[in-house]
Amino acid sequence: MNILVVGGGGREHALCWVLAHDASVFCAPGNPGTGEVGTNLPVPASDAAGLLDAIRTHQIDLVVIGPEGPLADGLADQLRAAGCAVFGPSAAAARIEASKSFAKALMHEAGVPTAASRTFTREAEALGYVDAHPEPLVVKASGLAAGKGAVVCDTRREAADAVRAMFSGRFGAAGDEVVVESFLTGEELSVFALTDGERLTLLPSAQDHKRLGEGDVGPNTGGMGAYTPVRLASPALLDRVEREVLHPTLAALAAAGARYQGVLYAGLMIGPDGAPSVVEFNCRFGDPEAQVVLPVAGLDLRDHLWTIAAGETWRPPPRMEARRAAVTTVVAAAGYPGAPEKGVAIPTVPAPTDDAIVFHAGTARAADGTLRTAGGRVLCATGFGPTVAAAAETSRELAERLRFPGAQYRRDIAWREIGRAGTS
Ligand code: AMP
Ligand code: GLY
């Protein structure tokens, strides 16, 4: 089977690496990491005609679209209309991520637990709402903002500043609509459902680390590290998530004429009482969660993705458990999550072993062949082990070896889980 993965970040490297075990893998545009496990094609995800050419030239059987941007722009629809088997939702279904106002309205209607919220298109009304609601508040650009469009505000004054910043165009068109919602307390959990729109199975759950700094301080990022398995994700909690969150959401999307096909990623807050609430939905695998979940999922990913993409009758396998623990530490460039420093030379990346692999995210090869930084999140140092603590140690040691000038990374990925292990 020939598979084309669209995208070029750490998630796409992980997808290519897993799929390359039993398929020939192509990646567009890819990165130096995907180029080591497959063939990179120099076509941007925004060029549907160029991708269709490549699909014909390389006799691609299955297209897997990694990032949210091309999904929201309708790439899956365009390729499907040309007869390709595509894994990933239509633009209509991808609105579950691309429009927070759409997602909130759908959840409120379907009775899916989520923070109370309102959507605004006018600054004055949003400011009035902020004034009338208790702190803390969360202010979000409705559109896509690379994981940086949510501002958690301890005070009303901060929330008002965030509202003004969003309406002043800080997030471009993503901020034309602004969602203000109440603050949820608890612990976050990333749950991934493979689905054909009706049936689903869960991949191992993961926990991300959104804040830049150790101890979960500093600005929100796209994610600085992740681990699996998560003890919090008990079978009883996951049953509840399927029943209260995933099935009603899929049914509501289907009823709205936007049947969902692909990975539905629920970003959840698990409250102190153990009840799940949706913080956000994403229309794709998490990044960096994919870099831990996919290598240990123990499923025949290729066959499931193909069956769903081809619209064949899909028999979901039983819920997946992680075969062993995995931890990834993101090594980011100086300046991230603002403007990252590009072109900085990166030390030699060690070859994968049974216990560790480095996934490339924002890297590029210079003309002289040296590896350089080319994005915010540069490399993902992934370690495996019998326990999360052992995997975390391997991941941390690997991240240290990848240090380049200005590199930023956290040494505490999986700290919650390791704390839980210590007390149980
Ligand atoms: P989002 O862009 O909606 O994924 O939000 C990014 C991050 O902001 C989440 O992963 C949470 O850490 C935090 N966040 C968003 N909404 C809330 C909320 N209602 N309550 C608490 N934290 C939130
Ligand atoms: N790691 C969070 C995301 O992929 O949105």
Side-chain angles (χ1 to χ4, degrees):
M1 190 185 281
N2 293 331
I3 302 181
L4 173 65
V5 173
V6 176
R11 165 186 47 216
E12 287 74 32
H13 187 186
L15 274 165
C16 288
W17 185 74
V18 170
L19 291 168
H21 288 95
D22 45 13
S24 292
V25 171
F26 296 81
C27 194
N31 65 35
T34 64
E36 282 168 18
V37 291
T39 307
N40 285 341
L41 306 173
V43 185
S46 54
D47 179 4
L51 290 171
L52 277 170
D53 265 353
I55 288 165
R56 290 193 191 105
T57 307
H58 299 285
Q59 301 183 338
I60 299 295
D61 302 293
L62 167 66
V63 182
V64 180
I65 303 175
E68 62 279 13
L71 290 164
D73 289 344
L75 182 61
D77 308 80
Q78 285 169 287
L79 300 184
R80 258 184 224 123
C84 305
V86 183
F87 182 83
S90 65
R95 289 179 76 208
I96 195 81
E97 170 168 6
S99 168
K100 288 189 195 290
S101 76
F102 170 80
K104 294 298 290 193
L106 187 111
M107 285 188 270
H108 289 317
E109 274 164 37
V112 171
T114 186
S117 73
R118 269 203 34 210
T119 298
F120 299 94
T121 51
R122 276 184 241 265
E123 182 179 303
E125 284 165 20
L127 291 174
Y129 183 89
V130 164
D131 238 9
H133 284 79
E135 307 165 339
L137 285 163
V138 186
V139 179
K140 299 181 176 183
S142 178
L144 294 178
K148 295 162 211 158
V151 188
V152 176
C153 305
D154 290 330
T155 63
R156 284 197 201 92
R157 176 193 282 264
E158 277 173 54
D161 287 345
V163 163
R164 283 190 204 97
M166 285 189 191
F167 280 112
S168 73
R170 190 167 120 206
F171 293 97
D176 288 351
E177 281 186 310
V178 171
V179 175
V180 183
E181 68 180 33
S182 55
F183 180 79
L184 298 165
T185 53
E187 205 175 314
E188 287 184 70
L189 183 68
S190 303
V191 173
F192 304 96
L194 279 188
T195 179
D196 63 357
E198 189 187 331
R199 284 151 290 210
L200 64 85
T201 193
L202 298 186
L203 293 161
S205 300
Q207 208 162 43
D208 189 11
H209 297 63
K210 290 262 164 70
R211 303 292 189 113
L212 182 68
E214 287 170 17
D216 294 330
V217 298
N220 263 331
T221 69
M224 293 300 288
Y227 71 90
T228 188
V230 186
R231 222 172 281 225
L232 178 68
S234 65
L237 175 67
L238 295 177
D239 287 346
R240 195 167 170 185
V241 170
E242 287 192 19
R243 196 172 60 240
E244 294 178 13
V245 172
L246 295 168
H247 282 298
T249 300
L250 292 175
L253 282 164
R259 184 179 165 121
Y260 192 98
Q261 181 262 76
V263 178
L264 181 60
Y265 159 0
L268 302 172
M269 188 72 80
I270 312 304
D273 57 354
S277 294
V278 177
V279 174
E280 61 162 354
F281 278 116
N282 294 310
C283 63
R284 49 172 176 84
F285 288 105
D287 188 344
E289 291 98 319
Q291 290 89 305
V292 291
V293 167
L294 294 176
V296 301
L299 99 155
D300 200 345
L301 191 67
R302 182 198 76 170
D303 290 349
H304 291 291
L305 300 194
W306 190 83
T307 306
I308 292 173
E312 307 264 312
T313 305
W314 180 55
R315 280 195 199 81
R319 185 181 292 165
M320 261 152 283
E321 308 271 350
R323 285 178 301 183
R324 53 184 178 152
V327 175
T328 195
T329 301
V330 171
V331 184
Y336 182 74
E341 194 181 343
K342 297 190 180 168
V344 176
I346 298 170
T348 306
V349 171
T353 65
D354 270 354
D355 295 330
I357 177 167
V358 178
F359 291 117
H360 290 240
T363 67
R365 289 226 180 261
D368 64 0
T370 57
L371 200 61
R372 305 276 171 159
T373 64
R377 294 185 289 173
V378 177
L379 294 164
C380 305
T382 307
F384 306 104
T387 62
V388 169
E393 181 83 35
T394 303
S395 166
R396 194 163 42 239
E397 280 168 8
L398 188 55
E400 262 148 40
R401 290 168 64 189
L402 299 173
R403 220 197 206 117
F404 49 81
Q408 312 184 72
Y409 63 93
R410 289 178 56 166
R411 290 172 197 77
D412 68 342
I413 303 303
W415 66 270
R416 278 202 179 80
E417 188 73 9
I418 293 165
R420 271 194 280 271
T423 57
S424 62

